[in-house]
Amino acid sequence: MAHHSDLIETDILAYLKSQEEKDLLRFITCGSVDDGKSTLIGRLLYDSKLIFEDQLAAVSADSRKVGTQGDSIDLALLVDGLQAEREQGITIDVAYRFFSTDRRKFIVADTPGHEQYTRNMATGASTAELAVILVDARKGILTQTRRHAYIVNLLGIRHAVLAVNKMDLVDYDRQIYEHITAEYEDFAEALGLQNIHAVPLSALTGDNVLNPSTAMDWYDGPCLLDILETVDVTSDITAGPFRMPVQWVNRPNLDFRGFSGTIASGTVRKDDPIIVSPSEKTSFIKSISTFDGDLNEARAGQSVTLTLSDEIDVSRGDLIASSESPPETTDQFAAHVLWMHDDPLLPERQYLMKVGSTSVVAAVTELKYQVNINSLEHLATKTLGLNEVAYANFALEHAIAFDPYKDVRDTGAFILVDRFTNATVGCGMIDFGLRRATNLTWHEMDVSKETRAKQKNQKACVLWFTGLSGSGKSTVANAVEKKLQAIGRHTYLLDGDNVRHGLNKDLGFTDADRVENIRRVAEVSALLVDSGLIVLTSFISPFRDERQMARELLAEDEFLEVFVDTPLEICEQRDPKGLYKKALAGEIKNFTGIDSDYERPENAEIVLAGGDHSVDELTDQVLALLKGHSYI
Amino acid sequence: MIGEITHLRQLEAESIHIMREVAAAFENPVMLYSIGKDSSVMLHLARKAFHPGHPPFPLMHVDTTWKFQEMYAFRKRMVEESGMDIIIHINQEGVAQGVNPFSHGSQVHTDVMKTQALKQALNKYKFDAAFGGARRDEEKSRAKERIFSFRTKNHRWDPKNQRPELWRTYNARINKGESIRAFPLSNWTELDIWQYIYLEDIPIVPLYYSAERPVVERDGTLIMVDDERMPLEPGEEPQMRSVRFRTLGCYPLTGALESTAATLPEIIQEMLLARTSERQGRTIDHDQAGSMEKKKQEGYF
Ligand SMILES: Nc1nc2c(ncn2[C@@H]2O[C@H](COP(=O)(O)OP(=O)(O)O)[C@@H](O)[C@H]2O)c(=O)[nH]1
């Protein structure tokens, strides 16, 4: 067991040889506070002799001070002693621990956080091949146990071990154990969890952790470590179809052009036929190149460099796959999404989605339902908050190749990144494609944007006015439009009045509705620009993300952001529609500047100092901008 | 039935994956090279990751000027062998002020010649990603460190603002001036490092092997008298003893270990039989509890 191997002392060379054959298991421990996670991990670390004397000395001292075990050492302190964190109130999320036995090396994802538990557990579970789900024998299966099992299943972990802990506190009672396992098996089966094991144990005494328990001779199954050492996880990923996302194009000289990546699934051999997505070009594997020489075969988990027998275009973000079982490509799919940020997910807001080595702009088009992860009930929802899980439809800016997450983790998983803060705000697991990318091409019209604009003797663009209510957006926009009319330009002004009453009358003022409001306005503006008009829009448009989205719907230089920067105090004084008064009195909710944010533009083409200048002056500044960009 | 991929090969593949991801996603990466065994492994992995090409980034050594002579010789040799460029950065202000570990103490010396020096270098060359050889098993507070560790414009590590990291899908997005530290060896343990060095026959500084070396004993720690800059206290006489080092840093701050282990298998054997964790050799950690955490926030690795 562990490093007890006498070989270390007697024949170190033989020992080292034996160590070369060890493999690796990544697992996660899940449990509620006080179920004994830390004690269990501490026990595994301690008994596998991976605790060094100085660490042990520190822990023994701590044990006497703060431990729960009197004079004997408190194993839990070995792992949850993040002293600085506790003192500074830093969120503890996922910590990784290591131990090894003569058969395997283990990486344990330990998620001691309480409040952020779902997010943290998902993070730890994403790289785990096995989950140990702890329950306290005295308490049995709790709501949390179901939640943990749900997340284990959601993240696609194929091996779960139910560890019924603290058996010493229930007199090692067989009936209690059997009652708990029966209940667990019922709902694990309902969830679809495969490969269920259960072990009665005591993390504190070590019974059935590393060694069979004499107190529980009624149990004749393997102890926990036996399961951890022998479970077969390799075939999980090598059995699938061959997939390799291209990370890096290796082109050191004219004679070598290789595509580097980590094989996500399956195996690949020299001469295998492959297809590159999304270009759908096909070729054959010419060589599997590594620093240690060419290989005849490589498989999931290996990082290699492939060369192909044809000179086809392949770049980072492409997926090289078996052409016998190619991946799907789509620009719309259904997926589970887990939200990881304080700012909620808003449908139609654009996020950066990263799948494998490819990145694409994506938005949720429909939140089908939220899953209550305690009861597993489906709930209707308009937004998704921190630690919440939903099933949703996504639309992507362009098609990507993917696999359902349950088939291949690496090509079916994605993270969502906020386009401004760059924070990782969510993650997801693709379920299925909603439509095949049928190479949908635009019908080439004979009449183009350019010809339409030319007919009007102008260049089309959008003047996107943004600013607080009462800042003067509409007044200035109106004055600019009049001037443009006067010099013979063809224009259209979109503002709250002509849009909120018709096109957008179904929308209110929640964040989600504001996003949708602006999305529609942006789309309409883009159509109007296509028709050759100079478009003026006058909306508060408080969020950077949506202004960015509008900008990206148009060609470069067609979108001119006009930030009417009038101080809030002045807007409040002006209060032309009496709205600030009502908002301050609490009669209107979600009013920008009062109880809803305005995110100031950072790269506006022009900033108008609303408080300091007359309408005429501001109008002239906008006209000067149009001249500068040769629109007039 | 296909055999399993061994643990060292899995760790190797993961490190290579991380390096390729950084090289592809960042404009101006650099590999921090400290000459120690972890750096040796990191460099070896980088050469594997981009073979048959060269790693598409330079090495950088932040030199405190107090490293062992054998480390400087080894650095020279590795640069020649790898064909990579190396940037050697020394905090010249620190040198001008005569900062050294003897008169200024380990804290000030490390802060000025290492932490500040590193910031200077990162600012000077505008690196947006820096590889470091830190491992999660080195110290409890590192156990939760990300593989892509986000740093603000001032190179600070903000523990409350680290990004969740899932699968092998790393978020490489940063704004101008911000950067990341990437830790490709995160999931390696000290034992893995040694076993891999053995398996792959990776060159390491000879100081890791035992030999007769001149040392003095101070506060129970054996310090090697590596050059004439080391002031000897009255009555102190360097003695030749058979010693080796578990970690390498500035020679006046690095404790030696009495040992006769002169080959890799013997070192590994000694390590498995002895029960003292490697950070003990680093004087810097003894200053105060939780000090790693603090150092990291300030920009030290
Ligand atoms: N009697 C008994 N106590 C245990 C066992 N496992 C853990 N404990 C105790 O339960 C408490 C919580 O354990 P800890 O490992 O900190 O739980 P965590 O919050 O899940 O990490 C501590 O007082 C442990 O000593 C066990 O198997 N038997």
Side-chain angles (χ1 to χ4, degrees):
Chain A
M1 196 59 50
H3 295 300
H4 289 181
S5 184
D6 292 336
L7 284 178
I8 294 175
E9 276 203 81
T10 56
D11 189 350
I12 184 71
L13 291 176
Y15 172 80
L16 286 171
K17 189 85 208 130
S18 75
Q19 291 304 295
E20 284 170 21
E21 305 305 318
K22 273 204 308 207
D23 69 354
L24 177 65
L25 180 78
R26 296 173 197 247
F27 70 94
I28 179 172
T29 52
C30 355
S32 310
V33 187
D34 283 348
D35 280 350
K37 279 193 309 288
S38 310
T39 310
L40 180 66
I41 298 173
R43 161 72 53 199
L44 289 166
L45 261 57
Y46 181 70
D47 283 1
S48 65
K49 295 283 179 291
L50 252 100
I51 302 302
F52 293 108
E53 229 121 70
D54 51 337
Q55 290 170 350
L56 206 56
V59 167
S60 308
D62 276 1
S63 294
R64 258 165 266 129
K65 254 193 325 210
V66 294
T68 55
Q69 295 304 317
D71 262 352
S72 43
I73 69 162
D74 187 346
L75 293 174
L77 291 176
L78 282 170
V79 295
D80 61 14
L82 298 179
Q83 168 206 356
E85 294 198 337
R86 276 184 303 195
E87 283 169 9
Q88 297 167 25
I90 296 168
T91 25
I92 304 178
D93 38 28
V94 189
Y96 295 88
R97 322 276 177 198
F98 307 86
F99 68 97
S100 83
T101 66
D102 284 344
R103 292 163 87 160
R104 266 193 174 154
K105 165 177 165 131
F106 298 93
I107 301 180
V108 193
D110 178 17
T111 52
H114 311 148
E115 298 110 64
Q116 304 300 338
Y117 200 73
T118 303
R119 174 179 108 163
N120 297 340
M121 192 183 144
T123 304
S126 71
T127 50
E129 296 146 321
L130 176 146
V132 176
I133 301 176
L134 266 97
V135 298
D136 184 329
R138 294 169 303 174
K139 299 183 190 152
I141 305 287
L142 302 175
T143 308
Q144 288 95 305
T145 320
R146 288 171 210 277
R147 188 202 311 176
H148 298 150
Y150 175 76
I151 300 170
V152 163
N153 192 48
L154 183 68
L155 270 290
I157 298 181
R158 299 185 199 213
H159 306 268
V161 182
L162 182 77
V164 181
N165 189 29
K166 308 199 186 180
M167 287 300 291
D168 55 314
L169 297 181
V170 295
D171 290 333
Y172 302 104
D173 185 334
R174 176 178 194 164
Q175 273 187 348
I176 291 183
Y177 169 73
E178 283 176 353
H179 179 76
I180 293 174
T181 50
E183 191 181 345
Y184 172 74
E185 272 162 26
D186 279 350
F187 80 81
E189 220 163 274
L191 272 175
L193 268 182
Q194 313 153 344
N195 306 317
I196 304 169
H197 303 268
V199 189
L201 54 84
S202 166
L204 193 67
T205 62
D207 282 81
N208 279 341
V209 179
L210 270 76
N211 300 306
S213 162
T214 44
M216 290 178 277
D217 49 13
W218 46 263
Y219 172 78
D220 54 13
C223 57
L224 179 63
L225 190 68
D226 284 339
I227 299 176
L228 297 178
E229 282 190 316
T230 55
V231 61
D232 170 27
V233 291
T234 311
S235 48
D236 293 353
I237 54 168
T238 47
F242 169 65
R243 301 285 186 260
M244 191 192 87
V246 176
Q247 284 185 285
W248 173 261
V249 177
N250 194 334
R251 182 115 225 225
N253 56 54
L254 291 176
D255 302 329
F256 189 89
R257 189 151 159 273
F259 309 105
S260 304
T262 304
I263 301 175
S265 138
T267 45
V268 63
R269 283 173 206 86
K270 202 166 165 306
D271 299 326
D272 274 359
I274 58 94
I275 182 165
V276 180
S277 298
S279 72
E280 314 222 321
K281 296 256 171 37
T282 57
S283 184
F284 294 88
I285 301 288
K286 187 166 121 196
S287 70
I288 305 171
S289 160
T290 74
F291 183 87
D292 304 296
D294 284 2
L295 307 176
N296 284 321
E297 174 186 300
R299 58 201 137 102
Q302 284 182 283
S303 290
V304 294
T305 298
L306 304 176
T307 64
L308 304 179
S309 49
D310 304 275
E311 285 256 336
I312 54 174
D313 238 355
V314 182
S315 40
R316 172 173 165 83
D318 288 351
L319 183 64
I320 301 181
S322 154
S323 61
E324 279 150 13
S325 41
E328 278 184 63
T329 48
T330 185
D331 59 1
Q332 282 183 26
F333 56 68
H336 280 98
V337 53
L338 162 63
W339 202 243
M340 310 181 114
H341 202 265
D342 289 324
D343 298 339
L345 175 153
L346 303 175
E348 299 300 352
R349 168 160 290 183
Q350 296 185 328
Y351 300 98
L352 200 72
M353 175 184 280
K354 190 169 180 206
V355 190
S357 54
T358 202
S359 292
V360 57
V361 174
V364 166
T365 50
E366 191 184 351
L367 277 172
K368 303 273 242 195
Y369 54 82
Q370 185 190 333
V371 183
N372 176 327
I373 53 170
N374 295 320
S375 65
L376 306 187
E377 275 175 327
H378 294 178
L379 316 164
T381 187
K382 290 212 157 138
T383 64
L384 198 65
L386 180 61
N387 288 315
E388 292 177 346
V389 176
Y391 193 68
N393 289 346
F394 282 83
L396 320 186
E397 203 176 56
H398 58 77
I400 59 158
F402 77 98
D403 290 286
Y405 182 78
K406 66 172 175 17
D407 297 339
V408 184
R409 263 185 178 186
D410 282 346
T411 49
F414 59 85
I415 59 168
L416 295 169
V417 176
D418 183 284
R419 296 206 301 156
F420 286 93
T421 63
N422 292 327
T424 302
V425 290
C427 70
M429 281 79 33
I430 303 175
D431 197 7
F432 61 88
L434 289 171
R435 69 167 189 218
R436 273 173 200 283
T438 45
N439 293 333
L440 180 89
T441 44
W442 287 86
H443 191 94
E444 280 300 330
M445 303 290 183
D446 295 330
V447 182
S448 69
K449 171 161 69 181
E450 284 70 32
T451 55
R452 292 188 198 100
K454 213 161 181 182
Q455 185 190 41
K456 300 182 182 68
N457 245 328
Q458 65 186 29
K459 264 167 62 188
C461 69
V462 174
L463 281 169
W464 187 280
F465 287 79
T466 171
L468 295 169
S469 175
S471 60
K473 292 182 302 292
S474 297
T475 315
V476 180
N478 190 32
V480 172
E481 190 181 24
K482 276 212 299 233
K483 285 257 161 95
L484 289 173
Q485 284 277 332
I487 55 170
R489 302 292 145 155
H490 300 258
T491 60
Y492 192 76
L493 173 64
L494 287 165
D495 70 9
D497 288 343
N498 57 16
V499 172
R500 281 268 180 202
H501 293 151
L503 177 64
N504 291 355
K505 74 173 167 211
D506 55 327
L507 301 175
F509 291 91
T510 61
D511 283 358
D513 281 357
R514 283 175 190 273
V515 169
E516 175 61 11
N517 182 40
I518 297 306
R519 188 190 69 82
R520 292 184 198 171
V521 171
E523 292 283 359
V524 172
S525 312
L527 289 175
L528 291 178
V529 166
D530 204 44
S531 79
L533 294 177
I534 297 178
V535 183
L536 303 93
T537 67
S538 170
F539 296 86
I540 299 175
S541 40
F543 303 135
R544 248 173 246 144
D545 274 304
E546 280 64 51
R547 295 192 301 260
Q548 179 68 18
M549 177 201 69
R551 185 184 285 276
E552 285 170 12
L553 279 175
L554 292 148
E556 214 169 300
D557 211 39
E558 272 177 5
F559 182 90
L560 302 173
E561 190 170 13
V562 181
F563 176 26
V564 188
D565 188 11
T566 310
L568 180 62
E569 308 78 61
I570 298 185
C571 297
E572 274 181 37
Q573 272 166 27
R574 288 180 184 166
D575 206 7
K577 301 178 197 160
L579 294 173
Y580 281 99
K581 212 193 269 135
K582 286 192 190 156
L584 287 167
E587 288 165 38
I588 321 180
K589 283 263 161 291
N590 301 325
F591 195 75
T592 305
I594 305 301
D595 57 350
S596 183
D597 266 352
Y598 180 80
E599 298 171 357
R600 296 170 61 86
E602 278 161 5
N603 304 307
E605 272 70 17
I606 186 169
V607 180
L608 303 179
D612 306 338
H613 297 279
S614 69
V615 174
D616 280 349
E617 285 168 340
L618 298 177
T619 307
D620 287 344
Q621 288 179 23
V622 177
L623 291 168
L625 173 74
L626 285 171
K627 258 199 205 92
H629 286 251
S630 43
Y631 283 100
I632 53 175
Chain B
M1 172 74 204
I2 341 170
E4 315 225 7
I5 304 178
T6 65
H7 77 293
L8 292 175
R9 294 296 168 218
Q10 286 193 52
L11 291 171
E12 175 186 75
E14 180 184 68
S15 302
I16 290 175
H17 179 85
I18 294 162
M19 290 183 179
R20 289 172 174 168
E21 204 58 19
V22 171
F26 291 85
E27 276 167 24
N28 193 16
V30 66
M31 177 167 280
L32 299 178
Y33 178 70
S34 73
I35 322 179
K37 65 181 192 311
D38 300 309
S39 283
S40 286
V41 168
M42 192 161 63
L43 173 58
H44 183 74
L45 290 166
R47 294 171 72 185
K48 284 198 168 193
F50 301 98
H51 175 84
H54 283 307
F57 39 76
L59 301 170
M60 182 163 79
H61 180 221
V62 175
D63 188 356
T64 61
T65 75
W66 288 93
K67 302 296 171 191
F68 292 88
Q69 294 312 312
E70 285 189 71
M71 291 173 74
Y72 292 117
F74 185 80
R75 180 179 77 189
K76 185 158 171 282
R77 173 183 152 201
M78 286 323 291
V79 169
E80 279 162 14
E81 266 181 35
S82 70
M84 289 170 75
D85 291 332
I86 187 163
I87 296 166
I88 295 168
H89 182 83
I90 296 174
N91 182 351
Q92 295 300 347
E93 289 164 35
V95 172
Q97 286 162 19
V99 171
N100 70 70
F102 300 110
S103 36
H104 293 77
S106 76
Q107 270 202 27
V108 172
H109 169 74
T110 307
D111 181 56
V112 174
M113 297 307 287
K114 205 161 168 179
T115 312
Q116 301 307 329
L118 177 60
K119 282 189 207 173
Q120 277 175 356
L122 294 174
N123 286 336
K124 178 166 170 199
Y125 298 101
K126 307 218 173 336
F127 293 119
D128 53 2
F131 290 104
R135 293 177 277 110
R136 285 173 173 155
D137 85 320
E138 276 176 61
E139 215 241 349
K140 263 202 284 199
S141 77
R142 274 195 178 150
K144 63 182 187 314
E145 176 62 289
R146 304 294 193 273
I147 288 173
F148 277 36
S149 180
F150 178 76
R151 303 299 156 107
T152 64
K153 288 192 169 70
N154 305 320
H155 308 293
R156 283 184 80 88
W157 178 75
D158 176 2
K160 292 180 189 146
N161 199 14
Q162 294 292 310
R163 301 164 174 175
E165 211 160 66
L166 293 101
W167 300 288
R168 283 183 256 221
T169 316
Y170 301 105
N171 176 357
R173 304 265 304 176
I174 52 166
N175 287 319
K176 216 174 152 51
E178 296 166 346
S179 62
I180 64 143
R181 302 285 166 85
F183 299 116
L185 304 182
S186 286
N187 287 326
W188 295 63
T189 61
E190 188 186 7
L191 183 57
D192 297 328
I193 293 283
W194 283 118
Q195 283 181 355
Y196 189 69
I197 290 173
Y198 176 65
L199 184 70
E200 297 273 304
D201 205 8
I202 299 171
I204 52 171
V205 184
L207 291 163
Y208 286 110
Y209 302 107
S210 290
E212 294 281 322
R213 299 190 169 96
V215 293
V216 292
E217 191 171 334
R218 287 192 183 165
D219 306 326
T221 306
L222 292 176
I223 301 289
M224 178 168 161
V225 183
D226 193 50
D227 59 31
E228 67 298 333
R229 290 180 295 177
M230 171 120 178
L232 294 177
E233 323 227 312
E236 223 174 32
E237 185 68 40
Q239 294 174 345
M240 294 306 282
R241 292 217 217 159
S242 177
V243 294
R244 64 180 181 89
F245 295 87
R246 277 184 81 175
T247 62
L248 294 178
C250 295
Y251 80 80
L253 299 176
T254 309
L257 203 71
E258 292 221 69
S259 161
T260 53
T263 64
L264 269 176
E266 283 168 10
I267 291 174
I268 298 173
Q269 183 178 39
E270 207 173 78
M271 180 192 146
L272 287 171
L273 297 175
R275 311 253 40 114
T276 313
S277 69
E278 78 185 308
R279 297 209 71 85
Q280 274 227 318
R282 299 191 190 174
T283 325
I284 172 173
D285 277 349
H286 294 196
D287 293 345
Q288 81 193 86
S291 67
M292 276 310 296
E293 198 88 350
K294 210 167 132 252
K295 296 238 154 58
K296 201 156 62 174
Q297 286 180 37
E298 288 162 359
Y300 173 75
F301 253 60

